[in-house]
Amino acid sequence: MDQLSSATFGIAIGATLIYLWLRLVAQQDNRPALTRARSHSFWCALIAFFVCTSGSAGDLKDTVTGSDIGVAEVLDAINPGLWLLLIYLLGLYSWPKSVTAVRAASLEARSVFTPLPRALSLIAGLVFLGSATALYFIRDVAGYPAQFAVETFDSTGSGGTIQDAQDGLAAAATLIPLYALNLASLGIALPIAAALILFRKTLGSLTPHDNQIIRAIWLNRLFRTAILGFAAVGAAALQYKSSWLLNLYPEADAYRLWQNIANFTMLPIFILVAAWAPPTNFDKNADTVPSSAFSRMRENLFSLGFITTALSLVVLALMPWSRQSEVSFETLPGEDAPQVMLLLVGFATLYLALNAGYLGYVHYSSRSVHHQTPNVRNLPRYVYAVAGILILGSGYLLINPPLKYFWGLVKVGPTFALLMVLAVLVLTAGYIWWTRRVSLPWQVSAEQEIWYRRVLEFRALRTGTAAILMMPGWGYGPAPYLWAAAVIVFCCPAVIILARPLAKVRQPV
């Protein structure tokens, strides 16, 4: 009962946070109604995707330690379906105020099931049956017990051999019900969520056609998320059998068959789901008609952020220091901290350099407007205050770490630590200075230009702050709270701080 109460409390807290977030992103009252409805739909689908796929079915075989199934295992199994239904239910009750559901009659000849994606429904059914079939093929898995590390010696006390510890694997009779529960939870949540979307009230301030398209978008993203969940269950079951065969016949290649089936089935399904875009054929006379210049500037901003972030993360992952994740008993905590700090400074430098380099190209291409004064404005004061507090706290932990939590910690020299923090701050300040002086080639309003520059500044500030936060968290040892704080700062979207300006179109006189 304690586990059930804890799970219920965690779900309640998570649902409250998700609802508040959806309400927060919906309170962009300076945007047209259709834009707010589409944004709300996107965030709801994105949260559902990450929450439903974070508790992967592949982890089920690691949660069972014996032959008995407890409440914790059952909750882990039904989590994906439960969250899928809960998030879409919350989404239907967190619409922006100006587009809330109302009762309205439509003269448009249509069926309730018109927005239902029939092709995706068929694919979802086939993938569900395929995953259910995969459970049949793992019925012969007998599992194996856990082994403890054992060191043996001969009669003279020398020539010792060491047997490494090994986690056990539960039998199929224990895991098949959990996999079936996982699959059934998704299979039940999908039609219930689809029915809630199909039978919801019409959204105010939208035309009947746009109402149907918004409904179709919700269903498209719901089915794509469910298809990935179905496929993950089947792939996890086949990987489970592959692990058993690898332990049973380590010299043979029998396990590769099931491993390859899982991998080569999951890959095309993932590509198909990622490429199956929702419909976008909204009314031509919709209330959002963005100017071409602002649209190009906004697309440039999003593309620049994605490409530079992806390149920086790839380079960070390829660096040899970043791959030294194995714990060695011969290395004391903090001995690798200088290399980690240099790596993080390099990451921040690369990210800022890529962005500054592109802005330099844009500035060079805008020579005709160099004489114009840039329109700039500072970020909200609380953004600088929060960043300053986080940077000061991280710097203090670098110089004065809590030694009682890190036995044998080797501290970084205070001079070196301050130099690393100062390097990130100087690079960030220099980049912000450059964003406020670069010329832009787009003929946009002053408000739109200010928004563009402020988003660039916010991205640089969050990247530098996250890099400094990660220095003690990564360099001194496993510090999950600092890791979480750094990831939250690095992923914080600018839209919750800076409202997107209206795309104004000049009407001919």
Side-chain angles (χ1 to χ4, degrees), residues 49 120 123 220-221 224-225 227-228 267-279:
F49 170 77
L120 277 177
I123 294 174
N220 172 281
R221 290 167 173 164
R224 288 158 65 195
T225 303
I227 288 171
L228 275 181
L267 180 61
I269 291 176
F270 182 82
I271 295 175
L272 176 69
V273 168
W276 202 299

Side-chain angles (χ1 to χ4, degrees), residues 361-376:
Y361 166 76
V362 169
H363 182 76
Y364 178 78
S365 304
S366 310
R367 293 187 298 272
S368 60
V369 294
H370 281 184
H371 62 281
Q372 298 181 4
T373 303
N375 296 294
V376 297

Side-chain angles (χ1 to χ4, degrees), residues 243-257:
S243 301
W244 175 65
L245 290 173
L246 177 61
N247 180 270
L248 194 62
Y249 308 108
E251 303 298 332
D253 291 336
Y255 73 95
R256 294 187 184 276
L257 172 64

Side-chain angles (χ1 to χ4, degrees), residues 349-425:
T349 303
L350 178 61
Y351 175 82
L352 297 174
L354 290 173
N355 282 271
Y358 178 78
L359 291 179
Y361 166 76
V362 169
H363 182 76
Y364 178 78
S365 304
S366 310
R367 293 187 298 272
S368 60
V369 294
H370 281 184
H371 62 281
Q372 298 181 4
T373 303
N375 296 294
V376 297
R377 189 184 304 162
N378 291 332
L379 294 172
R381 292 181 179 178
Y382 69 88
V383 175
Y384 299 114
V386 172
I389 292 172
L390 293 176
I391 291 171
L392 289 175
S394 179
Y396 177 81
L397 289 177
L398 280 173
I399 299 173
N400 297 295
L403 296 178
K404 63 179 180 180
Y405 297 108
F406 299 97
W407 181 84
L409 177 67
V410 180
K411 293 197 303 182
V412 177
T415 303
F416 180 81
L418 291 176
L419 283 176
M420 293 296 99
V421 173
L422 186 62
V424 175
L425 293 178

Side-chain angles (χ1 to χ4, degrees), residues 230-477:
F230 293 154
V233 177
L238 297 181
Q239 294 284 4
Y240 160 67
K241 183 166 186 175
S242 174
S243 301
W244 175 65
L245 290 173
L246 177 61
N247 180 270
L248 194 62
Y249 308 108
E251 303 298 332
D253 291 336
Y255 73 95
R256 294 187 184 276
L257 172 64
W258 303 103
Q259 192 179 65
N260 291 336
I261 292 176
N263 293 338
F264 289 112
T265 304
M266 193 68 185
L267 180 61
I269 291 176
F270 182 82
I271 295 175
L272 176 69
V273 168
W276 202 299
T280 56
N281 54 326
F282 294 96
D283 279 342
K284 298 299 182 182
N285 58 348
D287 53 0
T288 171
V289 186
S291 64
S292 58
F294 180 66
S295 298
R296 290 195 301 271
M297 185 180 73
R298 187 178 60 185
E299 292 171 0
N300 168 273
L301 185 64
F302 294 156
S303 301
L304 178 64
F306 175 78
I307 293 173
T308 54
T309 303
L311 286 176
S312 302
L313 289 175
V314 168
V315 172
L316 177 67
L318 294 178
M319 293 296 291
W321 290 334
S322 64
R323 298 197 296 268
Q324 295 176 355
S325 57
E326 297 182 358
V327 177
S328 174
F329 292 101
E330 300 178 356
T331 303
L332 293 174
E335 283 189 348
D336 295 333
Q339 292 90 333
V340 169
M341 295 172 69
L342 286 171
L343 184 67
L344 291 170
V345 173
F347 167 77
T349 303
L350 178 61
Y351 175 82
L352 297 174
L354 290 173
N355 282 271
Y358 178 78
L359 291 179
Y361 166 76
V362 169
H363 182 76
Y364 178 78
S365 304
S366 310
R367 293 187 298 272
S368 60
V369 294
H370 281 184
H371 62 281
Q372 298 181 4
T373 303
N375 296 294
V376 297
R377 189 184 304 162
N378 291 332
L379 294 172
R381 292 181 179 178
Y382 69 88
V383 175
Y384 299 114
V386 172
I389 292 172
L390 293 176
I391 291 171
L392 289 175
S394 179
Y396 177 81
L397 289 177
L398 280 173
I399 299 173
N400 297 295
L403 296 178
K404 63 179 180 180
Y405 297 108
F406 299 97
W407 181 84
L409 177 67
V410 180
K411 293 197 303 182
V412 177
T415 303
F416 180 81
L418 291 176
L419 283 176
M420 293 296 99
V421 173
L422 186 62
V424 175
L425 293 178
V426 170
L427 289 170
T428 304
Y431 174 79
I432 293 175
W433 176 88
W434 177 232
T435 60
R436 296 187 176 197
R437 282 157 179 79
V438 66
S439 298
L440 302 179
W442 302 284
Q443 299 296 324
V444 293
S445 66
E447 181 185 3
Q448 293 166 350
E449 180 184 345
I450 290 172
W451 173 78
Y452 182 86
R453 297 180 190 274
R454 294 176 87 190
V455 171
L456 291 176
E457 179 177 343
F458 178 77
R459 289 177 178 177
L461 192 61
R462 75 183 181 188
T463 301
T465 305
I468 295 173
L469 270 176
M470 190 66 80
M471 287 180 182
W474 188 4
Y476 281 162

